[in-house]
Amino acid sequence: LGLAVSIDRMANLFLRLEGTDPTLQPVLAGSHMDSQPSGGRFDGIWGVIAALEAVQAVRDAGVTTRRAVEVVAWTNEEGSRFAPGCMGSMAFGAAQPPDAWNASTDTDGLSFGAELAAHLDAERDLPRRPLGVVEGTAPFAYVEAHIEQGPRLEAEGVDIGVVTGIQGARWFTVEVLGRSDHAGTAPLSLRKDAMQDTVRAITALNALMADPADVTRFTVGRVEVSPNSSNSVAERVRFSIDLRHPDAAVLRAKGDAVAAAVAGAMTTCAATVVERFNADPSVFAPGIIATIEAAAARLGLRSVRMPSGAFHDARFLAPVCPAGMIFVPSRGGISHHPSEYTSPAQLAAGTRVLASVVAELANR
Ligand code: GLV
Ligand code: MN
Ligand code: MN
């Protein structure tokens, strides 16, 4: 492709198209390549492919830019194997130190730190680059193309979502510890049943998170039971909490109340609550929003400004450089599911907007 490849210590991967002035900070565009256990074919990877297409379009059109344009694929945006998500972009933007998640384990007990080291070893032929703003410099700007993952653009018949910001999110891991016992013999009155106290905890959390306006997003998506046997009382249950809200005060209040709600629901077991992720609601740069909007209009596409319910790596670039996002419609609003779909024409439209925005920013 004629692009220079490099990788940083978080295994964030970069492809660089050189500009005419190598001393200027580059424009960065991309997304992530990891997915969900039941993920589709677009969440993340389309933003990387779109950035690659945009760079190739700029080059093939013979357009020269002052700044370099770099395509980036961030490490572990989803956080489904190793919690939390957005590790690569958080480390790049210095939101957390790069070794913050080394002890995070997957369901097989493998640690993120060891798996990252093995991955970097397998890619040792790639040139290493400094890690983001921690070891290097901030980009000039960051633009991420992504599927909407919600129903709005399709319902309104709009081609492009110009993303104004991202709602806040907090993740917790709850561990409920009881004692394993015989399902046929142990009287209920003598049990320390971690599953029963988990049911009480989730019921209490549902009450805490109840929101008649249906703005709060509260999800228990992962439960691990030990020893996980039909005829043994559960000794230990570990479950995840994903909480989101666009209002920082509500997110803070509800999140801060999680530990007490869980503790109050315990009858015979002990519970611990660990916070894994805390991202305030964020807003994107007005200048990038306006540039995306103008590019869409120039290309004859209909656009609408909208917030993002999902989090994205752009959330962690926004504090270090002007950042923004381009959404394209998701059929039926479905995502994190194999039926996730956006048509080739819709993807092409989003990619053309990205190419136009990237070319314009790279000449500033
Ligand atoms: C990203 O996949 C998210 O969970 O918002
Ligand atoms: Mn994504
Ligand atoms: Mn996702």
Side-chain angles (χ1 to χ4, degrees):
L1 297 170
L3 305 172
V5 187
S6 61
I7 194 168
D8 67 26
R9 58 194 285 210
M10 284 298 293
N12 296 315
L13 187 65
F14 297 80
L15 298 169
R16 181 179 173 104
L17 176 68
E18 206 52 71
T20 54
D21 186 347
T23 65
L24 297 176
Q25 296 155 284
V27 172
L28 198 55
S31 191
H32 61 97
M33 301 198 286
D34 61 318
S35 185
Q36 291 280 329
S38 63
R41 293 174 294 149
F42 300 87
D43 174 4
I45 188 61
W46 174 63
V48 178
I49 301 291
L52 200 51
E53 286 281 349
V55 161
Q56 286 183 276
V58 166
R59 196 187 47 191
D60 294 352
V63 173
T64 53
T65 59
R66 295 174 61 229
R67 299 175 183 278
V69 180
E70 292 190 325
V71 178
V72 59
W74 302 107
T75 291
N76 190 28
E77 190 274 348
E78 296 287 356
S80 71
R81 180 178 171 202
F82 297 108
C86 293
M87 285 182 189
S89 51
M90 276 198 281
F92 183 96
Q96 295 285 332
D99 57 0
W101 313 282
N102 282 352
S104 179
T105 50
D106 68 5
T107 46
D108 296 327
L110 297 170
S111 74
F112 176 75
E115 291 296 272
L116 175 64
H119 178 69
L120 287 171
D121 189 51
E123 303 288 9
R124 63 186 169 276
D125 55 324
L126 296 183
R128 279 293 182 95
R129 61 186 275 141
L131 174 63
V133 301
V134 189
E135 299 167 351
T137 55
F140 177 68
Y142 175 70
V143 189
E144 179 166 351
H146 205 283
I147 57 167
E148 179 199 352
Q149 309 181 276
R152 182 167 166 191
L153 294 177
E154 182 182 71
E156 295 180 12
V158 175
D159 309 298
I160 300 294
V162 183
V163 187
T164 51
I166 296 185
Q167 72 172 336
R170 293 176 77 172
W171 282 13
F172 303 86
T173 302
V174 181
E175 186 168 296
V176 178
L177 196 61
R179 189 186 62 225
S180 188
D181 219 329
H182 195 290
T185 59
L188 267 57
S189 59
L190 296 181
R191 293 184 181 187
K192 292 183 178 180
D193 188 330
M195 181 52 82
Q196 292 301 335
D197 270 359
T198 294
V199 169
R200 288 184 193 95
I202 294 174
T203 301
L205 288 166
N206 279 332
L208 172 68
M209 304 301 174
D211 178 3
D214 200 10
V215 174
T216 306
R217 298 285 177 265
F218 169 70
T219 306
V220 175
R222 178 165 177 168
V223 181
E224 291 167 69
V225 184
S226 173
N228 208 20
S229 168
S230 316
N231 46 353
S232 285
V233 172
E235 172 143 308
R236 195 183 61 210
V237 176
R238 215 180 271 144
F239 66 93
S240 62
I241 294 173
D242 179 314
L243 168 65
R244 309 200 194 192
H245 203 280
D247 182 330
V250 177
L251 184 71
R252 195 175 316 118
K254 299 246 181 202
D256 289 354
V258 163
V262 170
M266 295 297 111
T267 58
T268 58
C269 299
T272 52
V273 178
V274 176
E275 183 156 18
R276 312 295 292 275
F277 182 69
N278 187 341
D280 281 342
S282 69
V283 289
F284 288 136
I288 303 289
I289 290 171
T291 303
I292 294 170
E293 209 163 43
R298 247 190 341 264
L299 290 162
L301 299 166
R302 270 174 304 174
S303 72
V304 65
R305 293 188 180 203
M306 63 183 298
S308 173
F311 59 69
H312 299 282
D313 294 302
R315 162 67 185 79
F316 296 99
L317 272 292
V320 299
C321 67
M325 290 188 73
I326 298 162
F327 276 175
V328 291
S330 292
R331 187 176 67 191
I334 293 168
S335 187
H336 286 189
H337 188 271
S339 65
E340 187 178 87
Y341 183 75
T342 304
S343 74
Q346 290 169 318
L347 296 172
T351 307
R352 284 160 64 217
V353 174
L354 179 66
S356 171
V357 168
V358 160
E360 186 177 335
L361 292 173
N363 268 321
R364 280 195 190 154

